Amino acid sequence: MPSSPPSTDLRLNASMRRHLRSLSMTTVESYLAWCRQNGFGTRINKTLAQRQEELKTSKKAKVRKQTQSSIDEHIEALELNCVEAYQTWCRANGFGAGLQKSPTLRQQERHHASQMKIQILASKAAAYQHKRRRKDTISLIAAGQIGEEELTSPVLLQIHFLFHQAITESVVQDAFLELLIHVEKNSRLFHIKPVVSQYGPQPENTFIHALAALAALAQWHTMWLREVGKWQPSSHNARRQFGSLSRHLLADYDIPVCMDTAWFRGMDDEAEQQQEWFIHIGIGKNIRKAAIPLNYSKQMAHIFIGHAPENYTIEAALRWAQVIGIGGDDHLADAVIGSRLGEQFHDEPFWESVLHFFINNPMLDPVHVGPIVDYIHHQRYVGQTQINPEGTVEYFDPLEPNLTMKGRTTDSILRRVEVWHRGMSREDKNKEPKQWPSSGFKGFAVVDEDTQAGEMRSWTIEEILNGQDLAEEGKAMHHCVATYMSSCVNGHKSIWSMKIEYLSSKISRRVMTIELVNRTRYIRQARGRNNSRPTDAIGGPGPVAGGRWLVCFACYKPHTTRAYITLWPRKIRATACGGNA
């Protein structure tokens, strides 16, 4: 019998005609075939419940088809050829291997794939140029026979800049060229990735700039103790190779590894001073006789020379040896270095009395060290301001310029810190909330699934740009972040708030407060509620934590709890890669 459209087939009642139209069926025969294929009965007229079940199955099939189509398009965009290859790629690059993903997650995967492709092409181009003519090119750059526009390698572009803008004296250029030619042949120092993680991705924080400093700054090449050509590396590690080279040139005695960071600060006065300390120790003189900002005892000097942690900067190592030398332990030293005392040296006799206070109270939880230091700094050194109704500003001395630690107990100081925190959190009604321009860095946002709660959630990191929001952050998180307003106003630092929101329930909470040093893009502190550590603050599996893990937003792979957070120009990343991932 010839097929008839549902609208004219006399075998169908009115409800079945509508049912076939909703299933997008053109004939009764195609409907019956579909029923047999999907396990439904082949009666022509069916009950309401049967029709609803068929319609539900049809909708599921359409969704599966649409999903498969979107997956195929996504796999094709990643330049992969099948689902298995896609899942393998996801596992290799730190993404989940599931197929049901949000548009945001798929966009992240496509962005990651494009960045990988760019890196591969760039590395191939750099490798080709290296094999072709790098040694000769360096000599031509030094002679001024190659212009900047002819270069594509970032390393060679930096060398060109150093030869023709940073180093102008011919005798220094000759010494720098000698270093480059020998190092190019014998080491792994020819790249411009950041070396010292605490200094961030600054141009000076590379091996090429450090080689220039060895030759150029303060005419150090005139103090070389040995010939460059006699140096040969004894390690495959680039940091150790540079340390060996600097000691070959400038040292007869042991120098702590942390002192190598002096060569990655550039060529300004502060860098020159630290490099003088390096040479001072290298020729056998006592660190106590160098112009360091601390009054070292013999024990402190011994601890610094023999035991300073390799991963510290010089400032942090100097403070660490001081704390250990006057009786503190590693936990206290780490807490002190994590405060503003880890990078600032002023009024040291007073601050040494503060360190003695900490050491004389060994049961004080180190988590309180940072807040106490911030409180003391604010009371003793920070001037006060008041905006009058007519708009004029009055300036006052610090609240307690003569504050001392004599007679204080841990209970009394903690009470005062708590009162101060509450006061900082209140919005002064006589003042308009201060605002300041953005640091210029973009925030971060990512969506993932909380597998335990079975709910999608959004993680964000946003910059705080006014005093009211800063006060609210400190009040909500029970810490003293409001004291950083002046540093935010002058652009030295920026404060960021990490939050999580569950998308269906709209429940949100603050997770961490992040302090960023803008110039170096280095995050000095990341604290949760009540100054808790990052992993304790996040407390649960997610894109930035999972028990004892942090996930690196640079390479999307997990790292241990020693990870820290680094801000880059386009997004914030929790990373242990030191910027090299």
Side-chain angles (χ1 to χ4, degrees):
M1 184 177 72
S3 300
S4 300
S7 59
T8 61
D9 197 312
L10 299 177
R11 293 175 293 173
L12 301 174
N13 57 31
S15 61
M16 282 300 295
R17 293 191 188 100
R18 291 193 298 272
H19 181 54
L20 263 66
R21 285 197 297 271
S22 67
L23 293 175
S24 302
M25 300 293 179
T26 58
T27 64
V28 173
E29 284 67 24
S30 63
Y31 167 68
L32 296 176
W34 180 86
C35 288
R36 285 190 291 271
Q37 183 180 355
N38 290 277
F40 295 106
T42 55
R43 289 177 53 196
I44 292 180
N45 291 303
K46 296 184 179 178
T47 66
L48 175 61
Q50 290 172 330
R51 295 197 302 272
Q52 289 176 338
E53 187 66 26
E54 290 177 355
L55 185 60
K56 184 177 179 182
T57 299
S58 176
K59 289 181 178 179
K60 286 183 177 180
K62 289 179 180 179
V63 170
R64 284 196 300 270
K65 185 176 180 180
Q66 292 173 352
T67 301
Q68 185 61 44
S69 176
S70 66
I71 291 173
D72 292 341
E73 291 177 0
H74 182 56
I75 291 174
E76 184 178 355
L78 294 174
E79 299 183 3
L80 301 172
N81 53 16
C82 63
V83 171
E84 290 74 15
Y86 167 67
Q87 292 177 321
T88 301
W89 181 89
C90 287
R91 295 187 188 97
N93 290 276
F95 294 101
L99 302 179
Q100 304 294 329
K101 294 181 180 178
S102 67
T104 302
L105 290 175
R106 289 183 178 176
Q107 177 64 30
Q108 290 178 1
E109 292 178 353
R110 289 193 292 271
H111 175 73
H112 183 70
S114 66
Q115 292 299 110
M116 288 178 59
K117 187 175 181 180
I118 292 172
Q119 291 176 4
I120 291 172
L121 292 174
S123 62
K124 286 182 178 179
Y128 176 72
Q129 189 174 44
H130 168 70
K131 292 178 181 178
R132 185 165 57 98
R133 58 170 195 171
R134 190 166 71 179
K135 179 179 178 180
D136 296 335
T137 302
I138 294 171
S139 298
L140 293 173
I141 289 172
Q145 298 178 17
I146 291 183
E148 186 178 4
E149 67 282 354
E150 301 177 55
L151 302 171
T152 58
S153 166
V155 174
L156 295 177
L157 284 168
Q158 190 171 92
I159 290 174
H160 187 281
F161 167 82
L162 289 168
F163 266 114
H164 299 290
Q165 296 188 47
I167 302 174
T168 56
E169 297 182 27
S170 60
V171 64
V172 181
Q173 288 182 338
D174 292 343
F176 183 36
L177 178 61
E178 182 184 7
L179 262 180
L180 290 173
I181 295 298
H182 186 71
V183 165
E184 190 273 340
K185 178 182 178 181
N186 295 281
S187 75
R188 297 185 174 186
L189 305 183
F190 261 67
H191 63 74
I192 57 171
K193 297 177 181 178
V195 179
V196 181
S197 59
Q198 293 90 327
Y199 296 160
Q202 302 302 303
E204 299 84 2
N205 188 18
T206 67
F207 287 120
I208 301 300
H209 259 274
L211 292 172
L214 279 173
L217 186 59
Q219 301 283 330
W220 293 139
H221 70 280
T222 62
M223 301 181 66
W224 288 355
L225 302 174
R226 302 170 186 87
E227 296 179 12
V228 173
K230 293 184 178 180
W231 173 76
Q232 292 295 327
S234 58
S235 169
H236 294 290
N237 180 279
R239 283 287 296 269
R240 293 174 184 167
Q241 286 183 354
F242 180 83
S244 169
L245 173 62
S246 60
R247 286 158 179 75
H248 172 83
L249 296 174
L250 294 167
D252 281 324
Y253 294 85
D254 289 340
I255 302 176
V257 174
C258 64
M259 295 292 295
D260 293 351
T261 61
W263 304 103
F264 300 94
R265 298 184 61 99
M267 301 184 189
D268 58 14
D269 292 341
E270 190 173 357
E272 180 179 350
Q273 183 183 54
Q274 293 194 1
Q275 291 161 17
E276 286 178 354
W277 300 344
F278 183 99
I279 296 173
H280 180 91
I281 297 172
I283 60 177
K285 294 184 179 180
N286 195 316
I287 184 63
R288 299 175 62 201
K289 304 299 182 181
I292 60 173
L294 299 175
N295 184 22
Y296 258 25
S297 65
K298 291 182 179 180
Q299 185 176 6
M300 293 175 193
H302 172 75
I303 292 171
F304 177 83
I305 295 298
H307 306 284
E310 296 183 4
N311 61 325
Y312 279 3
T313 63
I314 294 177
E315 296 94 335
L318 286 172
R319 184 67 77 184
W320 176 86
Q322 180 193 33
V323 174
I324 300 299
I326 59 178
D329 58 19
D330 284 328
H331 297 294
L332 176 60
D334 287 342
V336 171
I337 291 167
S339 73
R340 65 176 68 244
L341 297 183
E343 59 184 20
Q344 297 179 5
F345 301 94
H346 67 92
D347 196 6
E348 277 304 317
F350 168 74
W351 285 112
E352 186 171 344
S353 72
V354 176
L355 296 181
H356 279 289
F357 171 82
F358 291 141
I359 292 168
N360 293 333
N361 293 276
M363 292 305 293
L364 176 69
D365 189 338
V367 75
H368 295 300
V369 168
I372 291 174
V373 169
D374 285 337
Y375 164 76
I376 293 172
H377 172 81
H378 185 271
Q379 298 296 105
R380 185 177 169 98
Y381 302 106
V382 178
Q384 307 299 302
T385 61
Q386 175 178 308
I387 301 177
N388 298 320
E390 61 273 16
T392 60
V393 180
E394 288 190 65
Y395 297 91
F396 303 94
D397 290 335
L399 295 174
E400 298 182 77
N402 297 317
L403 181 149
T404 69
M405 302 305 293
K406 291 182 179 179
R408 301 194 185 276
T409 65
T410 56
D411 289 341
S412 67
I413 198 73
L414 289 175
R415 281 196 300 269
R416 296 188 67 173
V417 170
E418 180 62 26
V419 171
W420 174 65
H421 280 181
R422 291 199 297 267
M424 293 297 296
S425 299
R426 299 191 195 100
E427 184 67 28
D428 189 344
K429 296 182 180 180
N430 296 323
K431 295 181 181 180
E432 294 183 2
K434 276 191 177 180
Q435 295 187 346
W436 48 87
S438 169
S439 61
F441 305 116
K442 294 185 178 180
F444 183 81
V446 66
V447 177
D448 78 334
E449 182 181 4
D450 186 338
T451 55
Q452 294 181 351
E455 189 174 356
M456 300 301 291
R457 57 190 178 180
S458 170
W459 298 80
T460 59
I461 307 179
E462 299 175 337
E463 185 176 5
I464 297 175
L465 297 174
N466 62 70
Q468 182 175 356
D469 291 346
L470 196 66
E472 290 177 356
E473 179 79 6
K475 183 177 181 180
M477 299 297 284
H478 300 288
H479 53 45
C480 53
V481 72
T483 61
Y484 287 84
M485 183 184 297
S486 60
S487 295
C488 292
V489 171
N490 63 33
H492 176 56
K493 296 178 180 178
S494 54
I495 300 297
W496 299 74
S497 178
M498 175 184 280
K499 300 175 184 176
I500 180 175
E501 179 182 7
Y502 285 86
L503 301 183
S504 59
S505 62
K506 300 300 181 183
I507 297 175
S508 64
R509 66 181 174 90
R510 300 174 193 260
V511 177
M512 268 199 300
T513 306
I514 303 164
E515 174 199 348
L516 168 74
V517 181
N518 291 334
R519 185 181 68 83
T520 61
R521 304 174 187 172
Y522 176 70
I523 289 199
R524 197 173 67 84
Q525 290 193 86
R527 297 289 182 175
R529 192 178 300 273
N530 296 315
N531 291 292
S532 58
R533 296 286 181 179
T535 45
D536 300 327
I538 295 170
V544 289
R548 58 186 297 264
W549 296 99
L550 293 179
V551 166
C552 172
F553 288 135
C555 66
Y556 295 95
K557 295 179 181 178
H559 298 285
T560 64
T561 51
R562 293 179 66 90
Y564 50 86
I565 297 173
T566 304
L567 185 72
W568 287 75
R570 300 186 67 179
K571 59 178 144 180
I572 300 176
R573 300 162 174 169
T575 175
C577 294
N580 295 339

